[in-house]
Amino acid sequence: MSRLKRLMSWLTTTDHKRIGLLYFYTAFVFFLVGGLEALFIRAQLAQPDGHVVSAETFNQLFTMHGTTMVFLALMPLTASFFNYIVPLQIGARDVAFPRLNAFSYWVFVLGALLMNASWFTGPLFHAGRLNVAPDAGWFGYANLTSRQYSPGPNIDFWLLGLQILGVSSLAAGFNFIVTILNLRAPGMKMMRLPVFSWMTLVTSFLIITAFPVITVALVLLMFDRFFGTHFYLTSAGGDPVLWQHLFWIFGHPEVYILILPAMGIVSEVLPTFARKPLFGYTVVVYSGVLIGFMGWGVWSHHMFSVGLGPIADSVFSATTMLIAVPTGVKIFNWLATLWGGQLRFTTAMLFAIGFIALFTIGGLSGVTHASPPADLQQTDTYYVVAHIHYVLFGGTIFGLFAGMYYWWPKMTGRLLSETLGKWHFALVFVGMNLAFFPMHLIGLLGMPRRIYTYSPDLGVSTLNLVSTIGAFLIGVGVLVFIWNVWRTRTRGQTAGNDPWGGATLEWTISSPPPVHNFDVIPTVASRLPRWTKTQLKAIPEGAKLAEIHVPGGSIWPLVTALGLPVLALAPLSHRLPFAFVGATIILLGIFRWAFEPFEA
Amino acid sequence: MTIAAATHRTSMGLDSRKMAFWAFIGSECLLFGSLISTYLVYKGRSVVGPYPHDILNIPFTSVSTFDLLMSSLMMVLALAAVQRGDLKWAKVWLVATALLGIFFLSGQVYEFTSFVREGLTLQTNLFGATFFVLTGTHGAHVTVGVVWLLTLWVRALQGQLTAANAVTVEICGLYWHFVDVIWIVIFTVVYLIQ
Amino acid sequence: MQQPSTDEHPVVQHAHPTAGVYLRVATILVILTVIEVGVFYVPAFHSILVPALLLLSAVKFTLVVMFYMHLKMDSRFFTFLFGGPLLLGLGMTMGLMFLFGAFALRR
């Protein structure tokens, strides 16, 4: 294949496995970008009165660190596993809407690039500086984001980027709901579905219900910034608290959108390396569904300091304590899975066990926020930063690393080095606790978050230095992982179909799987098809091999996706023609997409 | 055998496109839910006029509401025609639905311009902002629906619309009726309950 | 969530109502709309204006969804896909109205 042809085959691909890989590599690059931003923040805070970056740049760094990690790294990394693994686990040849899937990916990339362009495009806006990145924090509270207090393009980049990313997530949400419900192999009843696929389903429901809310919040902000409305302006009768409500109505389900997939991964990894079925499968599944549902009723616990009144405070405090129950149930189920198992401490297993420990710590500090009087002491201090990182780093990222070591052989055909993997785990585990545990103390001692420097008199200098050392240790650990991935390309051990002795369908086929996944769609008779007596084989005896048609690619998802950032250039540059060009591209893309011959 | 699992073989016996579209409509419920919530929590908070009772024209909007209800009727008749393979009537009902949609949109354009002339703009007060954003979003949905209907009509003229692909008309119908029920809510919450 | 069955199903089209049913539903919808506007203009109804209008609009909403969108005849699962988020949205609206003091008792 010529180079151009190969490039075109990636630009037009509709294969869920290739899209999964694209998601992985792109999201991992943004994970590194977000990590670099974090290292700048920690370098600045390593000692009191730091001078590494200016106050303005510091604001941009912490805003983009949060936004990047949540929307450009963690969500798409989970999406990479949704894409690659879910169709394999349910015994399908692809997702329900392959072109829509490609569309999701391209919209994600383009939205991410648009938002990050703000680091270099200051001169285009005559800003007098290179970087005009968003600077109002990842939850962009109203008034900080108004034209009056933020006249530059910073917030425009943020809100337009998030709108575009929302389109990507929504499209993927519809796709995976239908895929999981409608494309299961014969015999794959809902209660035989692997937990990771179940959690993908719950996450998809959360995405399609939560994202419209932030879409509206951002639309109102757009109107305030571009058309002079007063949705969030108190003097005109508006209320900045409305932003907080709409943001957190989205934001709290979003927390579960980030953690449920990691819980799903851990629920696959632990049984495999304990050689035991997951303890209480049904309870784990229903707990996941319950968490997704209850996640809708707790949003105001992010807002206790607003002063919502005793009734609202009590209700949201109670629901917040309640939601810890199904979460705790899951933790006990994982522990019971380990109990009495033949444990194999592979790297994937270490990350999964690390997940349980660290997520429990994060969960417990979360419960301390549930009490409004305690929360008032913690709000906007480093204590909250410690909590969110135990949950999202110790939780989501550890879960994702477990998934990477577990499924890497399936995705590439080669095993990652276990020796390097254990170094990776050790460095990240120690680094993470050094970086984030002191933040509990720093916060309770009174250091507010998001302040670019602090005085030596505050008495938190040593703790901050320790935290910075921890952050750089994490950085070294991630470098070890990258080295591991790099050397595995050529020197990794060949994996075979099933290097771990896994129980689910993805291990019945070759690694990496052929383009059509299954020569014969398997018929499933149990929850753990590879572990039951009549072990499921890729090709059952006597099965007739029929010809399989694989659909070609399509360029129109990419074209349609391209229209969105072009459309966004109109408000960004205040030039209307971009809107017409963008809308035309989208319309053209949709019509060509709808009428091209394509067998899904 | 082809790979066309999505259309021929499904675990729930339901058309995948229809299922995806119902999920989309569910998602839209929260989009309009958020907009209507915003309208309701800001109700009565405008610090300057004009206020709803100064400006909303009930007789005019009742006609628009009637128009949209009738378009829903045309839509189901179009679907019924396509399902029994009656291309001639399918064309008639499809274009009738689209025309009623266009009529509704012209009414909205007239309403918006007359409000602006009477001094209510996006920037005037919270009522203006919430009203125009909510009804404007609905209008944008109607516009998309009209384009969709006209596309189906052209397909019908080309003879491409058969009973076998009636589901494409059914999905367009779901969208159209959803836009109609949203209007039923807006008509009550915004226009009648002042 | 309802438990979907997993056996292989060919995609079946559920029977849709006839044009007569559609016309009857349309007639009811128009009558209800006329009543809505009537209630709005008759001063005697002003004490029950809000509940009456909400009820009427809910009935219209349900009629369109059940008959024109075929939820009455179609798979129950579609009702779940639509009704779940709808109730979520309704709950959100009620919650926000409470938080912004819309239900506070006048003193």
Side-chain angles (χ1 to χ4, degrees):
Chain A
M1 251 200 306
S2 76
R3 203 169 270 187
L4 182 73
K5 247 185 160 171
R6 197 154 17 149
L7 177 70
M8 279 309 285
S9 84
W10 281 95
L11 293 181
T12 60
T13 186
T14 53
D15 178 356
H16 73 98
K17 297 180 288 299
R18 290 185 124 196
I19 293 171
L21 289 175
L22 285 172
Y23 257 115
F24 178 82
Y25 288 113
T26 316
F28 199 81
V29 167
F30 283 110
F31 177 65
L32 296 180
V33 171
L36 204 63
E37 284 155 1
L39 291 184
F40 272 111
I41 295 172
R42 282 321 313 172
Q44 165 76 6
L45 296 177
Q47 44 191 323
D49 302 322
H51 301 293
V52 178
V53 292
S54 67
E56 282 144 310
T57 304
F58 187 83
N59 288 352
Q60 300 180 9
L61 281 169
F62 73 67
T63 302
M64 283 304 281
H65 166 68
T67 309
T68 303
M69 283 303 190
V70 168
F71 295 100
L72 311 184
L74 300 197
M75 279 184 75
L77 278 173
T78 61
S80 122
F81 289 123
F82 296 170
N83 265 287
Y84 207 105
I85 301 302
V86 166
L88 302 181
Q89 280 196 332
I90 65 174
R93 293 229 156 96
D94 207 318
V95 294
F97 307 102
R99 288 178 296 174
L100 190 65
N101 203 20
F103 175 73
S104 295
Y105 169 73
W106 293 115
V107 173
F108 150 61
V109 183
L110 293 167
L113 290 177
L114 179 86
M115 201 190 279
N116 274 281
S118 58
W119 284 114
F120 315 104
T121 45
L124 288 178
F125 297 91
H126 312 290
R129 54 188 301 141
L130 183 64
N131 48 322
V132 287
D135 54 0
W138 83 275
F139 37 76
Y141 271 3
N143 271 13
L144 288 180
T145 53
S146 68
R147 193 58 86 189
Q148 186 187 355
Y149 298 113
S150 183
N154 313 47
I155 301 302
D156 298 341
F157 274 109
W158 185 73
L159 73 93
L160 294 166
L162 283 188
Q163 287 291 45
I164 293 177
L165 292 166
V167 173
S168 161
S169 302
L170 283 165
F174 303 129
N175 211 343
F176 280 94
I177 287 176
V178 178
T179 302
I180 295 170
L181 290 172
N182 229 8
L183 259 57
R184 283 165 287 139
M188 179 67 87
K189 296 185 174 142
M190 287 309 277
M191 277 301 149
R192 285 179 187 162
L193 206 59
V195 178
F196 177 66
S197 293
W198 249 116
M199 292 306 114
T200 305
L201 180 64
V202 177
T203 305
S204 302
F205 270 109
L206 286 175
I207 287 175
I208 69 157
T209 45
F211 269 78
V213 184
I214 193 176
T215 302
V216 167
L218 289 167
V219 164
L220 303 185
L221 181 60
M222 270 169 86
F223 272 83
D224 271 7
R225 284 184 67 84
F226 297 118
F227 304 116
T229 54
H230 310 297
F231 284 107
Y232 302 128
L233 189 66
T234 320
S235 58
D239 196 342
V241 176
L242 180 68
W243 167 270
Q244 296 193 22
H245 278 298
L246 292 177
F247 185 88
W248 289 117
I249 289 175
F250 151 79
H252 206 83
E254 170 70 17
V255 172
Y256 296 105
I257 291 170
L258 292 168
I259 197 67
L260 286 174
M263 289 178 163
I265 293 172
V266 167
S267 306
E268 301 293 325
V269 171
L270 291 174
T272 302
F273 296 111
R275 285 304 288 183
K276 262 182 73 188
L278 184 68
F279 184 87
Y281 167 93
T282 328
V283 180
V284 173
V285 166
Y286 283 138
S287 300
V289 175
L290 202 60
I291 289 173
F293 187 71
M294 290 168 74
W296 271 86
V298 296
W299 79 84
S300 285
H301 69 211
H302 296 269
M303 303 165 53
F304 283 144
S305 57
V306 168
L308 299 168
I311 300 178
D313 277 3
S314 318
V315 169
F316 284 104
S317 169
T319 53
T320 305
M321 289 178 192
L322 270 179
I323 203 169
V325 174
T327 316
V329 166
K330 283 195 162 202
I331 287 170
F332 283 112
N333 276 291
W334 290 322
L335 293 178
T337 305
L338 294 175
W339 186 264
Q342 302 164 27
L343 304 186
R344 277 182 296 160
F345 291 101
T346 59
T347 310
M349 181 69 153
L350 291 176
F351 272 110
I353 294 174
F355 169 97
I356 302 178
L358 300 175
F359 180 75
T360 305
I361 296 174
L364 289 175
S365 65
V367 176
T368 66
H369 309 314
S371 162
D375 183 73
L376 292 181
Q377 296 298 313
Q378 299 158 358
T379 289
D380 258 336
T381 72
Y382 266 88
Y383 188 88
V384 175
V385 182
H387 161 70
I388 195 177
H389 284 91
Y390 266 86
V391 175
L392 292 186
F393 196 106
T396 306
I397 293 181
F398 267 60
L400 285 167
F401 275 135
M404 289 177 207
Y405 281 91
Y406 184 57
W407 282 312
W408 198 263
K410 182 49 62 188
M411 292 162 74
T412 65
R414 286 174 189 273
L415 288 152
L416 287 167
S417 154
E418 280 292 313
T419 319
L420 284 175
K422 276 165 191 158
W423 275 103
H424 170 205
F425 170 76
L427 283 165
V428 170
F429 186 81
V430 174
M432 127 100 214
N433 282 292
L434 274 184
F436 301 123
F437 195 80
M439 287 184 183
H440 291 108
L441 308 173
I442 295 171
L444 291 179
L445 288 171
M447 180 164 163
R449 69 198 284 203
R450 298 180 171 175
I451 302 293
Y452 81 108
T453 189
Y454 55 95
S455 144
D457 306 332
L458 202 58
V460 292
S461 309
T462 319
L463 288 169
N464 267 302
L465 183 62
V466 171
S467 175
T468 300
I469 293 170
F472 278 86
L473 267 186
I474 297 174
V476 176
V478 173
L479 286 179
V480 172
F481 175 70
I482 295 173
W483 167 240
N484 196 353
V485 167
W486 184 257
R487 74 176 284 287
T488 299
R489 284 173 66 240
T490 49
R491 277 187 283 168
Q493 201 188 322
T494 322
N497 286 9
D498 185 5
W500 311 123
T504 41
L505 285 184
E506 72 265 32
W507 305 110
T508 58
I509 51 178
S510 63
S511 313
V515 72
H516 55 278
N517 295 352
F518 297 92
D519 292 336
V520 174
I521 295 290
T523 301
V524 181
S526 79
R527 194 175 286 161
L528 305 164
R530 302 261 304 152
W531 285 3
T532 31
K533 240 183 188 160
T534 48
Q535 221 196 48
L536 202 67
K537 294 203 183 76
I539 304 175
E541 271 118 64
K544 271 185 223 149
L545 290 184
E547 208 170 297
I548 296 163
H549 168 77
V550 178
S554 169
I555 192 72
W556 301 112
L558 172 56
V559 172
T560 313
L562 266 172
L564 287 170
V566 175
L567 195 62
L569 286 180
L572 202 56
S573 65
H574 298 270
R575 285 188 181 85
L576 199 56
F578 281 119
F580 293 114
V581 179
T584 310
I585 297 175
I586 294 172
L587 216 59
L588 173 88
I590 290 176
F591 272 94
R592 295 302 298 264
W593 176 341
F595 294 121
E596 75 178 340
F598 184 93
E599 279 181 79
Chain B
M1 183 168 116
T2 70
I3 203 164
T7 46
H8 300 312
R9 193 190 64 79
T10 67
S11 334
M12 294 180 69
L14 302 170
D15 185 274
S16 286
R17 288 165 292 173
K18 235 168 104 178
M19 190 190 286
F21 207 80
W22 271 112
F24 170 73
I25 290 179
S27 184
E28 289 269 278
C29 283
L30 280 132
L31 186 92
F32 281 103
S34 308
L35 286 169
I36 292 170
S37 301
T38 305
Y39 181 86
L40 287 174
V41 299
Y42 278 170
K43 209 168 154 163
R45 284 193 174 211
S46 296
V47 287
V48 292
Y51 303 101
H53 55 85
D54 300 330
I55 204 162
L56 293 176
N57 184 341
I58 302 300
F60 179 82
T61 315
S62 305
V63 174
S64 287
T65 307
F66 175 75
D67 167 85
L68 217 48
L69 285 176
M70 284 306 106
S71 81
S72 261
L73 176 63
M74 304 293 130
M75 185 72 234
V76 281
L77 294 177
L79 174 62
V82 173
Q83 279 171 340
R84 61 172 191 268
D86 183 349
L87 200 59
K88 195 181 105 199
W89 280 103
K91 284 180 219 162
V92 173
W93 296 129
L94 278 173
V95 80
T97 316
L99 285 175
L100 287 175
I102 292 170
F103 184 74
F104 177 86
L105 285 172
S106 343
Q108 199 168 36
V109 169
Y110 167 78
E111 185 194 31
F112 280 18
T113 44
S114 66
F115 283 4
V116 170
R117 238 180 292 121
E118 288 170 57
L120 184 75
T121 64
L122 266 175
Q123 295 85 11
T124 312
N125 57 17
L126 278 180
F127 169 61
T130 50
F131 172 83
F132 282 119
V133 171
L134 172 58
T135 53
T137 307
H138 178 264
H141 277 75
V142 176
T143 311
V144 171
V146 167
V147 173
W148 193 344
L149 284 163
L150 290 177
T151 309
L152 286 176
W153 180 60
V154 171
R155 295 296 278 177
L157 288 180
Q158 294 169 335
Q160 302 276 356
L161 218 53
T162 57
N165 52 29
V167 68
T168 56
V169 181
E170 189 179 353
I171 289 172
C172 178
L174 289 178
Y175 178 81
W176 192 255
H177 300 308
F178 177 70
V179 172
D180 186 21
V181 295
I182 289 300
W183 185 255
I184 290 176
V185 176
I186 291 178
F187 181 56
T188 304
V189 170
V190 175
Y191 288 87
L192 294 180
I193 304 178
Q194 293 174 6
Chain C
M1 186 165 152
Q2 106 188 42
Q3 174 75 55
S5 68
T6 51
D7 300 332
E8 301 283 300
H9 297 287
V11 175
V12 282
Q13 275 301 324
H14 295 260
H16 287 165
T18 56
V21 176
Y22 289 146
L23 275 170
R24 256 173 283 156
V25 172
T27 317
I28 302 174
L29 287 172
V30 172
I31 293 172
L32 288 176
T33 307
V34 171
I35 297 178
E36 278 182 335
V37 180
V39 168
F40 177 79
Y41 279 113
V42 178
F45 288 123
H46 273 191
S47 53
I48 54 154
L49 184 69
V50 174
L53 286 175
L54 287 179
L55 182 73
L56 285 167
S57 119
V59 172
K60 285 165 69 182
F61 187 101
T62 315
L63 280 174
V64 174
V65 170
M66 295 237 295
F67 291 95
Y68 286 2
M69 296 167 89
H70 311 121
L71 276 189
K72 191 173 178 330
M73 298 66 108
D74 223 332
S75 164
R76 296 255 307 274
F77 183 70
F78 292 149
T79 312
F80 164 81
L81 271 183
F82 175 62
L86 182 70
L87 290 179
L88 218 52
L90 214 60
M92 177 183 75
T93 306
M94 304 297 277
L96 281 173
M97 286 180 75
F98 167 77
L99 286 162
F100 280 83
F103 301 138
L105 295 172
R106 295 223 179 93
R107 291 186 198 163

